[in-house]
Amino acid sequence: MDSFVFEYPTKVYFGKGAAQTHLPGILAASGPRVMLAYGGGSIKKNGIYKELMGLLKSAGKTVTEFSGIMSNPTWAKVQEGTKLAREHEIDLVLAVGGGSVIDCCKVVCAQAVEDADLWELEMIQHKAPSKPSIPLGAVVTASGTGAEMNGGAVITNEEVKIKGGMFAAAPRFAILDPQYTMSLPASQVLSGAFDTLSHAMETYFGRSDRDNVSDAVAEAVMQSTISNMYTLLTDLHDYTARSNLMWTSAMAENGILKVGRLTDFECHQIEHQLGAYTDCNHGQGLAVIHPVYYRHICKDAAEKFARFARNVWGISGEGISEEETARAGVQALEDFIRACGLPTRLSQLHTRTEITPALLRQVADSTNLLQGGYRQLTHDEVYEILMECL
Ligand code: NZQ
Ligand code: ZN
């Protein structure tokens, strides 16, 4: 293991009825003005809004609503939430939704107390916000991103066409009730779960010279995510599978898998820029790019990809070379993506713009190139990968 510092910022309340059981106590200890933040309205259809509003009213809170947070939240939406939080002198933000609502609120909580523009501060000056942010709580209704247990937020700045990761407020607490995810459509359940698998893979395929306990934990997270996704293909509402996926989602992005090693996350960088240009679904974009990207870098880490094939996909590798075993693992990943009904080509994504070679060139040229993976890509190679995804 390499040296590391590890700290948990978030207290997690997990299980059926977690909001009813724990929120009254949490609210009793927080200030009077609460911002209830949510997305396009799913929480009004599935009863979560009513339940939470009831708890907030019983606790005597003054509630300000911040609604309409879109998937792939924008910097403009962050400004809207910040204005509300300042005007109403909010004491606690309750973010109710998936990664998009939680991420938007993370930055709102940090920006509301900062004079400096956080996009400028973080993305241009490469500095971190320094003031203690407004306390944030996350009520997860769509799992997959793991946003509820970390301080990172992914925001799209439409003016400059960058979808970038920012450091903002980590939730002080997270309510994880698997029942809250039951109304999610199958496509979102599976794309969210694939995002979890992607986080574990992006960490596993980061550079690590020595055997590392984090890799063994990542293998368990990957195996569990895959087998529970298979369960959902036959029974979308299986509670055990939903609850396991809710926790593997948090596990893959709460920092545990990343201790003592570098991470790759180049596939995420490519997908984020694809999202900046097309507004595609995050997990679906990853599903298209991953196998193509891995075929590009497989040779550079044949031993690790062969271990992935053996330990995650159960490929024995008997009678074939290490490189062939490595490639068989990537093929198994692609077969799994297809079996889940996730997209395998960019043309299958729902996008607001037509995906053309010219657009992919812009995506490739604006993709952040990271150094934690087994090979550092060039912008031209990102373009090649994207063209192979068409
Ligand atoms: O907006 P509403 O009406 O609530 O509908 C949402 C949205 O359309 C719906 N939904 C959520 N809970 C539901 C539900 N529908 C029915 N029943 C429920 N219980 O689901 C749709 C997708 O929600 P969204 O939050 O956009 O999805 P997800 O959780 O996949 O979040 C994606 C965002 O998170 C970022 C992604 O880039 C993307 O912007 N990520 C955040 C990360 C982090 N902070 O750690 C890491 C990830 O890699 C990722 O980049
Ligand atoms: Zn992700």
Side-chain angles (χ1 to χ4, degrees):
M1 300 286 285
D2 291 339
S3 309
F4 64 87
V5 174
F6 185 70
E7 186 181 35
Y8 251 76
T10 311
K11 183 162 182 176
V12 175
Y13 301 91
F14 188 98
K16 277 184 191 169
Q20 288 289 347
T21 310
H22 300 289
L23 212 45
I26 296 168
L27 292 176
S30 74
R33 294 170 297 267
V34 177
M35 180 190 267
L36 181 68
Y38 54 94
S42 67
I43 67 164
K44 291 202 169 163
K45 293 187 198 129
N46 57 24
I48 296 173
Y49 173 89
K50 198 170 167 211
E51 186 178 345
L52 296 178
M53 202 51 125
L55 291 169
L56 288 163
K57 292 291 175 198
S58 303
K61 302 298 175 189
T62 304
V63 180
T64 300
E65 294 191 33
F66 172 36
S67 63
I69 301 172
M70 66 292 276
S71 286
N72 302 324
T74 62
W75 183 238
K77 199 67 186 174
V78 170
Q79 306 307 310
E80 185 188 322
T82 302
K83 190 162 173 277
L84 272 179
R86 285 178 179 157
E87 271 170 16
H88 295 269
E89 297 177 15
I90 293 299
D91 299 304
L92 169 72
V93 173
L94 205 54
V96 188
S100 298
V101 173
I102 299 169
D103 280 3
C104 184
C105 290
K106 285 175 176 177
V107 189
V108 166
C109 287
Q111 182 67 84
V113 299
E114 278 277 355
D115 298 328
D117 176 281
L118 286 190
W119 188 275
E120 162 79 24
L121 186 82
E122 294 199 25
M123 310 302 249
I124 319 272
Q125 297 177 26
H126 305 292
K127 290 183 186 157
S130 53
K131 294 188 184 153
S133 59
I134 297 175
L136 170 68
V139 178
V140 178
T141 67
S143 64
T145 66
E148 63 276 12
M149 280 187 81
N150 63 55
V154 185
I155 301 295
T156 301
N157 187 324
E158 291 180 301
E159 270 179 37
V160 291
K161 280 206 159 40
I162 297 284
K163 182 174 176 182
M166 303 180 71
F167 289 100
R172 300 257 176 108
F173 66 89
I175 305 270
L176 270 63
D177 181 344
Q179 291 182 125
Y180 277 10
T181 70
M182 288 298 180
S183 53
L184 269 174
S187 62
Q188 180 60 37
V189 180
L190 293 166
S191 68
F194 187 79
D195 189 20
T196 298
L197 182 61
S198 167
H199 296 153
M201 293 191 297
E202 296 258 48
T203 306
Y204 188 75
F205 290 114
R207 262 186 293 118
S208 171
D209 296 333
R210 290 177 293 276
D211 198 7
N212 187 314
V213 69
S214 301
D215 284 341
V217 182
E219 285 170 358
V221 168
M222 289 189 268
Q223 286 161 4
S224 175
T225 303
I226 292 162
S227 72
N228 285 294
M229 284 173 78
Y230 270 129
T231 302
L232 291 185
L233 293 180
T234 48
D235 180 2
L236 185 63
H237 297 103
D238 184 287
Y239 179 83
T240 306
R242 291 288 183 120
S243 58
N244 279 325
L245 287 170
M246 199 164 210
W247 189 239
T248 57
S249 162
M251 279 291 290
E253 269 300 283
N254 64 10
I256 291 231
L257 305 186
K258 298 177 187 178
V259 293
R261 60 188 337 292
L262 295 176
T263 65
D264 182 2
F265 277 87
E266 192 56 53
C267 192
H268 265 68
Q269 300 305 310
I270 301 172
E271 194 288 328
H272 283 166
Q273 270 318 94
L274 185 68
Y277 278 83
T278 68
D279 201 28
C280 65
N281 175 285
H282 176 60
Q284 292 183 358
L286 291 169
V288 175
I289 301 165
H290 257 295
V292 178
Y293 171 51
Y294 282 164
R295 273 198 288 273
H296 270 248
I297 64 163
C298 197
K299 255 191 179 173
D300 299 280
E303 205 183 308
K304 192 63 179 282
F305 275 95
R307 176 177 163 178
F308 173 68
R310 284 191 291 271
N311 294 1
V312 177
W313 299 105
I315 295 163
S316 76
E318 255 180 53
I320 57 173
S321 70
E322 192 82 330
E323 245 183 60
E324 284 165 336
T325 310
R327 280 201 300 276
V330 178
Q331 188 57 49
L333 171 66
E334 186 166 3
D335 293 345
F336 172 68
I337 290 167
R338 203 164 269 121
C340 289
L342 285 160
T344 52
R345 320 259 18 126
L346 293 179
S347 53
Q348 295 167 328
L349 298 176
H350 298 286
T351 56
R352 70 169 168 220
T353 344
E354 196 196 341
I355 299 184
T356 60
L359 181 129
L360 293 182
R361 186 74 246 183
Q362 289 177 295
V363 171
D365 287 346
S366 56
T367 293
N368 206 8
L369 303 175
L370 299 179
Q371 296 175 357
Y374 288 107
R375 179 150 59 96
Q376 198 185 345
L377 298 185
T378 61
H379 289 298
D380 284 345
E381 196 168 5
V382 173
Y383 180 63
E384 258 176 55
I385 289 169
L386 285 166
M387 287 298 288
E388 282 171 41
C389 293
L390 259 181

